[in-house]
Amino acid sequence: MNLHNILKKHEFKKDKLIEILIDVQHEKPYNNITEKEVESIAKALELPVSHVCGVMSFYTLLSLEKRGKYIIQVCKDVPCFINDEFNILKTLEQTLNIQCGETTDDHFFTLEESACLGHCDEAPVMRINDTMYTNLTKTKVFRILEQYKEGTLC
Amino acid sequence: MLETKLLTERFNHYDGLNINHYIDLDGFNALKKALTMSPGDIVHEIELSKLTGRGGAGFPTYIKMKSMLETEGKKILVCNADEGEPGHFKDRYLLEKDPYLVLEGMLISAYAIGAKQGYIYIRGEYDNAIKQFSKVIAIAENKGYLGKRILNTDFEFTLELRRGAGAYVCGEEFALMESIEGKPGRTRVKPPYPTEKGVFNHPTLINNVETFCNLPSIIERGGEGYAQIGSEYATGTKLICLSGHVKEKGLYEVAYGTPIIDVINTLGGGTINDIPIQMVQIGGACGPIIPPELLSMSIDNEAFEIFDAKMGAGAIIVMDENDDMFELILRNMEFFLHESCGKCAPCREGHIQLVHLLKKFVNFTATDKDFQSLRSLAEVIHTTTLCGLGQTSPTSIISTLKYFERMYHKRIQQSNKEAKHDRVTD
Ligand SMILES: Cc1cc2nc3c(=O)[nH]c(=O)nc-3n(C[C@H](O)[C@H](O)[C@H](O)COP(=O)(O)O)c2cc1C
Ligand code: SF4
Ligand code: FES
C-alpha cells in the first residue's frame, strides 16, 4: 500500500497518526520512515512537522534511521535474563559481527535489545519483525539466522 | 486442585476466532442476561462482587463505573491491553485464547455505563493478538455483536483497535489516553481523572483486559455468588504469570488467598534442579523482591500491602541461589531508565544515577557512600515523581534494602577486597 492509500484507510484522522506511522513503516524495505515522508504525513493530516517528529522519537518501534530488512529484538528483562544460559545477545553480536543497536553492512539485519516481550513463560525469546522465537537455544538461534539468510523464513 | 478456572475455562476449547464455537461454549449468555438488567443493577452486582482492577493498582471497579453512570453525554470505554510490565503475559493469553470473552466483558461494561464508543489499545509487539482481535471485531460486527441494535436491543457500541508502538509508559492510563489521541504518551497532571475528562475530553472508563474478563462471571453468578470465590481480602481469581527459575513456567489461574509458595511448588513444580529459592519478585519490575520466608503469604491485594506495593498484575519471578540479586535489580532499573517518559526530573535523571550505582555493585566496586546514595535516591524517586512509573520503579531496591541489606554490605566488603587485590596485581 502506498502512503496515500494508508492515509485514506485511516480517513486522514489526526488521532490515527501512530496507526498511520506503523503502517507506513511496515511497508518500507528498511523499517524506517524518511523525513520526506514525515513531512508528507504532517501536511496530509494538517499537523505540525514537529508533532509528527515528536511522536516518531517517543515510540521505540518507530525509526527515522534506515535499518535492516529484519529487525532482531532480543528481550533483555529479568525473566529472560534468568533463563538465558548462553547470552543470546552476545551470540548474535558475534555471529552478525555487529554491536547491539547496529545494522549489518548489507542492511539485512538490525540488532536491538527489547523490553519484555510478554513471553516470559517461553524465555529466552527474541522477535524478528512480526514473529516471536521462543525457548531459544544456541542451535536454534543459528538455525533461525540461516533460514532468514536462505530466504526460507520471511 | 489448586487452580480455579473462571477466565481460562475456554482456553484451547475453541480456536479463538470462531464466534459460533464461543457461543456453543455458553459465550455471550452473560451479555444477554445483562441486557435485560438496568445499568444501575449491573453496577450494583459488580459492587457486591468486590471486583478490583487487575491492571496493577487494584482499585474497586464499581467506583469508576458509578462515576461514569453519573455523567451525561458522550462516554468512552477503553480496554488497556498495553501489557508491558516485565514478567507479565496474562493479557496476551486472554486476547489470543479467548478474545470474545474480552469483547463480552467490554460490551457488558459499555452497556452499564452508557458508552457507545470504545477502544482496545494493544501493545505493538503483540502481533498475533493484534491480527486476531482485528478479525474478532470484524466478525462481531458482522454477527451483530458490535454496531447498532446489538442483539436486537437499543444498545449500540463501536470498537476500534489501536496499536501501541513500543512505550511501556503508555500502559499508565493518562499516557494511554494521550497515545489514543495520537500523541506521545506523556502522562497528564491529575485531576481531572479519566472518568471526568478522558479521551478527547469525554468521560472515559479504562480497565485492564483481565478486569473486563471477570464481568461475564459476575453477571452469571451474581455479585454475591462471585464474592464466594477468593479470600476475606480479595474476591475472585487471579491470573498468575510464573517465570524465572521454575520447572513449569506458565499462566495459572488461582483463587485469591492461594499461598505464593503453592503456586511455585505445586503448579510450577519447584525450581529447576531443585536449587533453593533465593528470592522472588512479585508483580514485575516495579514490584517487591521478597525472601523465601514470606512466600507462605497469600495472593491478595490487601493482605499484600508492603511498601505501597500490591500483588501487582500477577507476575511471580523466581530466582534461585545462583542468581545475582544486583544483576536483576540493575536490569529493572535499566528498564525504567529506558521507559521513563522524561516529564519529571527525578525519574529522568534519577534512573541514570541508579543504573550507575548498581553497576558498581554488579562490578564489585561499590562503597558505603554508594550504598547511602542508592538508598536516598530510591526514596526521592519514589516520593517525588508524577506518575506510577517513578513512584513504583525503586521498589526492588527499597524491598531488598529491607530484606537483604546484608547482601549490600557483603558486596561492599567484597568490593574492598577485590579493589585491594587489584592494587596488588597492579
Ligand atoms: C507505568 C505504568 C504502566 C502501566 N501499565 C499498565 C498495563 O500495561 N496494563 C494495565 O491494564 N494497566 C497498566 N497500568 C495501570 C493503569 O494506569 C490503570 O490503573 C489500569 O489500566 C486500570 O485498570 P484496572 O482498574 O482494571 O486495573 C500501568 C500503570 C503505570 C503507572
Ligand atoms: S514518573 Fe517518569 S514516566 Fe512518570 S511522568 Fe515522571 S518522568 Fe514520566
Ligand atoms: S522478560 Fe523476556 S519476554 Fe518477558
Side-chain angles (χ1 to χ4, degrees), chain A residues 75 77-80 116-120 125, chain B residues 87:
Chain A
C75 177
D77 281 322
V78 168
C80 275
C116 172
L117 288 162
H119 282 262
C120 328
V125 307

Side-chain angles (χ1 to χ4, degrees), chain B residues 4 6-7 54 210 226 229 235-239 253-256:
Chain B
T4 306
L6 290 187
L7 277 47
R54 307 295 200 234
E210 185 184 349
Y226 178 93
I229 306 163
T235 60
T237 62
K238 184 75 202 77
L239 294 181
E253 183 175 7
V254 297
Y256 275 106

Side-chain angles (χ1 to χ4, degrees), chain A residues 15-16 18-19 22-23 51 58-61 76-79 81-83 116-121 127 130, chain B residues 86-89 92-93 123 126-127 162-163 165-166 179-183 185 243-245 249 327 331 335:
Chain A
D15 59 295
K16 295 192 82 179
I18 299 162
E19 286 290 314
I22 296 172
D23 282 349
H51 177 84
F58 186 83
Y59 294 96
T60 321
L61 297 182
K76 64 163 181 1
D77 281 322
V78 168
F81 174 72
I82 289 179
N83 291 142
C116 172
L117 288 162
H119 282 262
C120 328
D121 54 337
R127 175 174 178 251
D130 295 351
Chain B
H88 291 95
F89 39 84
R92 179 176 61 76
Y93 270 92
R123 70 179 292 200
Y126 279 0
D127 306 286
R162 289 294 166 89
R163 289 169 290 178
S179 189
I180 288 177
E181 293 180 9
K183 300 176 199 158
S243 70
H245 268 142
K249 302 187 286 270
E327 285 256 25
R331 296 252 152 190
F335 171 78

